[in-house]
Amino acid sequence: IAGDGFSCFSLLKGKKRLLGFCLVGSFLCWSDAFAAFQRSPMSEMIDVQRVSHPQQTPGDVVLPMPGNLVMPLRAVCLPTAGFFDEASMRFGVSRSGVRPVGQYMEGRYTTSLQAPFEFSDLPDAWGKDALKVIAKDPVCGADKESGRLYFIGKYELTRGQWRAVMEHKEGDFALELDDFKPVTDVSWFDAQAFSRRYSEWLMQNHPEMLPFFQVEGRSAFLRLPTEAEWEYAARGGHRVSDHERENTLLFPFDGKDAGEYVVAGVFEPTLSSVMRIGSKQPNPLGLYDILGNCAEMTQSPFRFSLGGRLLGGEGGFLVKGGSWRAMTLEELHPGRRLEASYYADAKALARDDLGFRLVLSGVFTPKDRQERMDAEWKALTQPGSFASTEKDKDEDIRIALQEVGAQVRDSALKQRLADIENAASRYYMRVNTNEERMIKEMLLGAAFSLETVANYAARCYQLIELRDGYLKLSRSDKGKEEQHAREAASMDEEIRNFIYSIKNVLFFYKKTVDEVQRLMAGKQHDLLDSVQLQFAHDDAFSKRLLKRMEIVARHSGTADIQSHDELAMLKTFLPEWLMVKLKTYF
C-alpha cells in the first residue's frame, strides 16, 4: 500500500490484477492489500518516477541520480545585466503579519540577489525541450547579455533519493514504502554531506549534465539554497511581478484555495506526518511543497532584521517554509525567519518535520569569463561610464596620477600614488553604480508617468461623456435648464483640471526622458532592456507597464523630445476613440 493516511491503491503485477477494488476503512481492503504486499516485491509496488519526479512539466531540468532516480530542477531567472549587476529585493514579513515581539526576527529588509549562470552556460545534455522553454522566458535572457540563472529543486528531497546517494552500493536499488516522502530526521551537516556526495557522483558519472567552465575544469555543483535564493523562488521568482511577490501572503494562487498548494495542519487537521512529494499544486515557478510538508534548511546563518537590513552577527541556521505541523497561515509565510541550532541534546539537530531541497549553483569568477569581467569592471570604474565622452576622459584624475607616478622614483611615494589611483577607481565605480540606479528609477518614473496620463485621460473621457449627457438632458427637461447648465459647467471645470494635470505630467515626462538621453548619451537601451524585464509577467499591471516602457524606449531614441507636440505624443499610447474626445481641449 503506497498511499498517504488511509488511502487504498490498486496494485498491479504485470497484467495480473492483485487488488481490484477496495473500500476505505474496509477490513477486506486491508487484509487483501496486506496479502498482496507480502507477495509482491517492494520495487514492483512503488514506481521510480513517483519517488523522485511525479509531476513532469515543460522546462524541467532533470539530473540523473544513482538507482535510476532523478533530481528535477526549475530555472530561476534574475532580471540583471552583466556580471556585477544585482537584483535588489525586499524579503521578510510585512509589519501587519509580524508578531510584535518577533519583528527583529522577521521584519522586512532589503537585500541583493545574484545568480552564476548565463543562458550560454547551460549544457546541451539537458535536452532541447527544457532549453527551449527556458529560452522563451524573457527574463532568462537567452538572446541577450541580460538575465542570470540558478536552479532549485522542484521537490523536497525524498527518502528514496537520500538512500540512493548515501546508502546505495553496486547492484540493483530496491525501493521502500516511504521513499516518495521527504527525507527528515537528518541534520544540517547531513544535508551538506549529501550535496557533496551527490555533486561528486554527477561530476564523475555524468559531467555532461553540469554547466562546466573548460579553462580551469570547474563544474557547477549542488548545495543548500541561501535564504534569498529560497525566498525569491518560494514567492514565485521571476514568474510573478514585484508587486505580487511583495504583497501576497504566500504567493499568487491563480484563483484557487491555499489548501490546494500546501500540506499543513491548518488545512488538514488530521495530519500526523509528511506526505508524498508533489501531492498538491505547484507555486508559480513550478515548485512543489515549497511551503508546508517539511520545513526546509538553508545555507544561510540566522541574523537579526533591524531597520530594513540584516545585522552582522551569525547564529544558527535559517529554517524556511513551515511544516505539516503549521496550524496558521502566518507559520507558512515565505518571509518567516526561524533560527535553528546546529546542535541539540549534545548532537547534531535533526527533526521529523525538517528536510531540504537543493540548488544548482556555480562559481562566479571562472577564468573562462576573465576577459569579459575585466572589461566590464573597467567600464564600471571609468568616469562617466555611460556618457564616456572625451571630456570625461580628460577629467580622469587617474591619468594625471599615472603621469606623475611615471616620473617618481621613490617606491613609497609610487605606492601611495597607486593607492590613490585605486581609491579613485572605487569612487568612479560608486558614482557609476548610483547613476545607473538613478537612471533605472527615472525610466520607471517615465513609465509610471505615462500610466498616470492614461488614467487621467480615461477619467476625463468619462466626465466628457457625463457632461454631454447632462447637456442633452437639459434640453429635454423643461424647467431645470439652469440647474443642468450649472452642473455641466462644474464638470467642464473638472475636465479642464484633468487636462491641466495631463499637460503637467507630460511636461514632467518629457523632462525625464530628456535627462535620461543626456545622461545615457545613446546607451539608454542597454538599461531599458533590464528595466523592461521587470514587467515580463502575465498580470494586467505588468502588461500595462511593459507597454508604457515600450513607449519610453521609442521616445528615448527621439531627438529633441522637449519640442514634440503633446497631442502627437498622446496618440502614441492612447486609443483613437479617446483622442477624439480629448483633442478639442488641447
Side-chain angles (χ1 to χ4, degrees):
I1 302 170
D4 301 317
F6 297 100
S7 301
C8 210
F9 289 85
S10 175
L11 305 178
L12 299 175
K13 182 177 182 182
K15 294 183 179 179
K16 182 179 179 182
R17 184 175 294 272
L18 296 180
L19 178 62
F21 177 79
C22 68
L23 297 174
V24 176
S26 165
F27 174 79
L28 178 62
C29 165
W30 288 106
S31 60
D32 285 355
F34 182 70
F37 175 80
Q38 288 182 312
R39 293 193 301 269
S40 181
M42 192 66 63
S43 58
E44 295 182 28
M45 296 177 60
I46 306 173
D47 185 77
V48 169
Q49 176 178 312
R50 193 162 174 250
V51 167
S52 57
H53 194 9
Q55 307 288 348
Q56 298 183 30
T57 49
D60 292 340
V61 172
V62 182
L63 303 182
M65 297 187 76
N68 292 322
L69 302 185
V70 294
M71 173 71 71
L73 306 168
R74 297 292 294 179
V76 188
C77 310
L78 299 179
T80 54
F83 298 113
F84 306 112
D85 196 10
E86 60 185 3
S88 182
M89 300 175 190
R90 295 184 69 222
F91 292 137
V93 184
S94 62
R95 179 172 294 275
S96 60
V98 181
R99 292 168 287 112
V101 296
Q103 292 180 12
Y104 49 80
M105 294 174 62
E106 301 168 359
R108 298 301 287 270
Y109 65 96
T110 300
T111 190
S112 298
L113 189 57
Q114 289 183 303
F117 303 123
E118 301 172 278
F119 188 84
S120 57
D121 295 327
L122 309 185
D124 295 336
W126 283 359
K128 294 181 180 179
D129 292 340
L131 292 179
K132 281 181 180 178
V133 172
I134 298 171
K136 288 179 181 178
D137 196 315
V139 184
C140 294
D143 300 320
K144 61 188 84 171
E145 287 300 321
S146 62
R148 293 294 187 273
L149 307 92
Y150 65 96
F151 297 84
I152 190 166
K154 184 173 180 175
Y155 313 98
E156 294 166 330
L157 192 85
T158 67
R159 298 173 189 181
Q161 291 171 312
W162 173 272
R163 292 194 311 104
V165 170
M166 303 301 283
E167 301 173 12
H168 180 42
K169 306 298 181 184
E170 294 298 325
D172 293 335
F173 177 68
L175 295 172
E176 295 182 356
L177 182 61
D178 284 341
D179 276 350
F180 50 77
K181 292 183 178 181
V183 65
T184 57
D185 290 307
V186 294
S187 71
W188 187 88
F189 303 102
D190 293 331
Q192 300 290 340
F194 177 91
S195 61
R196 178 186 64 80
R197 188 174 296 186
Y198 179 44
S199 295
E200 290 175 351
W201 183 88
L202 279 171
M203 293 173 192
Q204 294 163 11
N205 294 278
H206 294 280
E208 76 284 356
M209 298 299 294
L210 295 172
F212 187 77
F213 302 104
Q214 192 67 41
V215 172
E216 53 191 322
R218 287 193 184 185
S219 175
F221 49 84
L222 289 114
R223 57 167 171 75
L224 289 177
T226 66
E227 177 186 9
E229 289 169 340
W230 187 96
E231 187 168 338
Y232 179 65
R235 291 179 182 270
H238 67 283
R239 300 308 302 271
V240 302
S241 66
D242 291 347
H243 176 78
E244 288 179 303
R245 195 167 49 247
E246 289 193 16
N247 293 283
T248 50
L249 178 61
L250 304 181
F251 47 75
F253 293 140
D254 194 24
K256 300 175 182 176
D257 184 75
E260 296 186 49
Y261 295 84
V262 182
V263 176
V266 63
F267 304 112
E268 300 173 71
T270 60
L271 277 177
S272 59
S273 69
V274 293
M275 290 176 62
R276 63 180 174 86
I277 61 168
S279 61
K280 298 284 186 173
Q281 295 292 318
N283 84 339
L285 200 61
L287 306 180
Y288 288 84
D289 303 318
I290 192 74
L291 305 176
N293 218 10
C294 67
E296 299 182 17
M297 309 179 205
T298 72
Q299 190 86 335
S300 300
F302 174 82
R303 293 187 286 167
F304 285 127
S305 175
L306 191 65
R309 64 186 181 89
L310 296 180
L311 301 189
E314 298 182 352
F317 64 92
L318 267 167
V319 174
K320 303 286 284 185
S323 76
W324 59 269
R325 286 193 167 97
M327 297 305 294
T328 65
L329 285 178
E330 285 71 22
E331 294 174 74
L332 297 164
H333 195 295
R336 287 204 75 190
R337 309 181 64 253
L338 300 182
E339 181 180 18
S341 174
Y342 294 100
Y343 302 92
D345 299 325
K347 60 182 180 181
L349 173 71
R351 294 195 330 229
D352 68 352
D353 66 345
L354 181 60
F356 64 97
R357 72 180 72 216
L358 297 178
V359 298
L360 179 69
S361 188
V363 293
F364 280 85
T365 58
K367 291 181 180 177
D368 307 60
R369 295 175 174 172
Q370 196 69 52
E371 187 174 332
R372 289 170 56 206
M373 292 178 71
D374 288 346
E376 189 175 317
W377 179 261
K378 184 177 180 180
L380 278 175
T381 57
Q382 295 299 313
S385 65
F386 293 112
S388 63
T389 63
E390 289 302 318
K391 182 176 181 295
D392 291 320
K393 294 175 182 177
D394 291 342
E395 293 175 354
D396 190 344
I397 191 174
R398 294 172 300 179
I399 295 175
L401 290 170
Q402 291 168 3
E403 291 174 350
V404 173
Q407 302 174 23
V408 170
R409 296 290 177 265
D410 182 84
S411 58
L413 183 55
K414 269 186 174 295
Q415 184 59 52
R416 179 59 179 156
L417 289 171
D419 292 341
I420 296 173
E421 185 179 339
N422 288 332
S425 294
R426 292 192 297 271
Y427 166 77
Y428 289 135
M429 183 182 65
R430 286 195 298 271
V431 169
N432 291 328
T433 300
N434 290 334
E435 188 175 83
E436 179 180 343
R437 289 175 178 169
M438 179 185 69
I439 293 171
K440 285 184 177 180
E441 293 298 324
M442 291 172 69
L443 290 169
L444 286 172
F448 281 112
S449 296
L450 293 181
E451 180 68 8
T452 300
V453 168
N455 289 332
Y456 281 165
R459 293 171 66 185
C460 190
Y461 173 85
Q462 292 172 343
L463 273 173
I464 294 172
E465 287 284 284
L466 189 60
R467 190 276 316 271
D468 291 346
Y470 261 99
L471 290 176
K472 290 179 182 179
L473 185 62
S474 66
R475 289 193 291 269
S476 60
D477 194 1
K478 300 301 182 182
K480 294 187 178 180
E481 294 91 341
E482 187 175 333
Q483 175 186 343
H484 290 313
R486 285 198 304 271
E487 291 174 345
S490 175
M491 291 179 191
D492 271 331
E493 181 65 23
E494 287 189 61
I495 291 169
R496 285 191 291 272
N497 287 337
F498 271 119
I499 296 299
Y500 180 74
S501 298
I502 289 172
K503 289 183 175 182
N504 278 339
V505 176
L506 278 177
F507 175 79
F508 169 79
Y509 171 78
K510 291 196 289 186
K511 291 280 288 183
T512 301
V513 173
D514 185 60
E515 184 68 9
V516 168
Q517 290 175 327
R518 186 187 67 79
L519 290 170
M520 296 293 289
K523 295 184 179 181
Q524 59 266 36
H525 289 288
D526 294 338
L527 285 184
L528 271 165
D529 283 343
S530 64
V531 174
Q532 285 177 302
L533 289 179
Q534 298 181 33
F535 304 110
H537 306 288
D538 291 332
D539 61 287
F541 176 77
S542 295
K543 288 180 179 179
R544 289 201 309 274
L545 264 295
L546 185 58
K547 289 181 179 179
R548 308 304 179 214
M549 284 303 306
E550 290 169 354
I551 300 299
V552 173
R554 191 187 312 169
H555 288 163
S556 65
T558 304
D560 194 16
I561 188 70
Q562 290 280 30
S563 64
H564 275 57
D565 179 72
E566 292 172 335
L567 274 176
M569 293 187 68
L570 289 174
K571 286 180 180 178
T572 61
F573 65 97
L574 293 182
E576 181 61 29
W577 56 266
L578 189 53
M579 290 300 303
V580 169
K581 292 286 186 181
L582 294 182
K583 63 183 180 182
T584 57
Y585 291 90
F586 281 82

